[in-house]
Amino acid sequence: AFLLTAIFIDADRFKGINDNFGHEAGDKTLQYLGEKLLEHSKSLNGEVYRYGGEEFVILLPDTEAAEAYMLANKLCKSISQTPVQIDEKTSIQIAVSIGLYTSISEEAGGYQEMIQRADRAMYTAKNSGRNQVVAYTFEAEKKKGIGA
């Protein structure tokens, strides 16, 4: 069996950065996020992708859910504890909501389903207060009546 974990990352309240500090500050924030994601994902041979807007995906091959969860928590804390330096006078505090899902090669659905499940977990993180990590579980989906 082959394990693959998708970590879906979304910058919390990113629109406010563009609105309050300008698009150049938004761009610097996205660059900062990309650098942080690359830095943290290297330890698990992860690949980082910009998914759109302020969303990113990290794919981690041969990575158990527990190990991915620890990495995601470290990443979440690191981002929230380190302000983005926009210029000499301006720094911005940001946070991210993270969802993750680990798939085993025998599971049906493929990569799209895996990304969708990590995305759903990320929205659960956002709706539960932001700046946190949530792992997708089939049990949580059933409780919500969404189905797996």
Side-chain angles (χ1 to χ4, degrees):
F2 177 76
L3 289 175
L4 184 63
T5 298
I7 299 179
F8 203 96
I9 302 105
D10 186 77
D12 293 333
R13 297 182 172 92
F14 182 76
K15 184 180 181 315
I17 293 172
N18 280 334
D19 292 349
N20 296 318
F21 298 96
H23 289 279
E24 187 175 329
D27 289 346
K28 284 188 177 185
T29 301
L30 292 175
Q31 289 170 358
Y32 164 83
L33 278 177
E35 289 166 8
K36 279 287 194 187
L37 300 179
L38 286 169
E39 174 189 318
H40 280 79
S41 65
K42 277 183 186 177
S43 66
L44 296 175
N45 296 316
E47 296 281 332
V48 178
Y49 302 91
R50 185 162 174 204
Y51 197 73
E54 68 276 8
E55 298 174 329
F56 294 85
V57 173
I58 300 173
L59 295 178
L60 301 171
D62 294 320
T63 305
E64 296 279 346
E67 193 174 10
Y69 191 83
M70 286 191 305
L71 171 83
N73 265 312
K74 284 181 189 175
L75 177 63
C76 191
K77 286 179 182 160
S78 176
I79 289 170
S80 68
Q81 292 172 355
T82 311
V84 181
Q85 198 65 43
I86 302 303
D87 57 36
E88 292 175 10
K89 297 178 182 178
T90 310
S91 63
I92 300 172
Q93 198 70 40
I94 65 165
V96 292
S97 293
I98 300 176
L100 68 89
Y101 176 72
T102 300
S103 176
I104 301 169
S105 59
E106 287 86 17
E107 290 179 17
Y111 293 110
Q112 260 329 99
E113 185 68 25
M114 186 178 64
I115 299 294
Q116 288 172 354
R117 288 176 177 162
D119 184 44
R120 281 187 235 153
M122 183 274 302
Y123 275 103
T124 300
K126 279 203 175 297
N127 294 331
S128 301
R130 295 182 168 84
N131 192 30
Q132 61 184 301
V133 179
V134 171
Y136 175 95
T137 63
F138 289 102
E139 292 77 21
E141 287 290 294
K142 288 175 187 170
K143 285 179 188 174
K144 292 179 183 177
I146 297 170

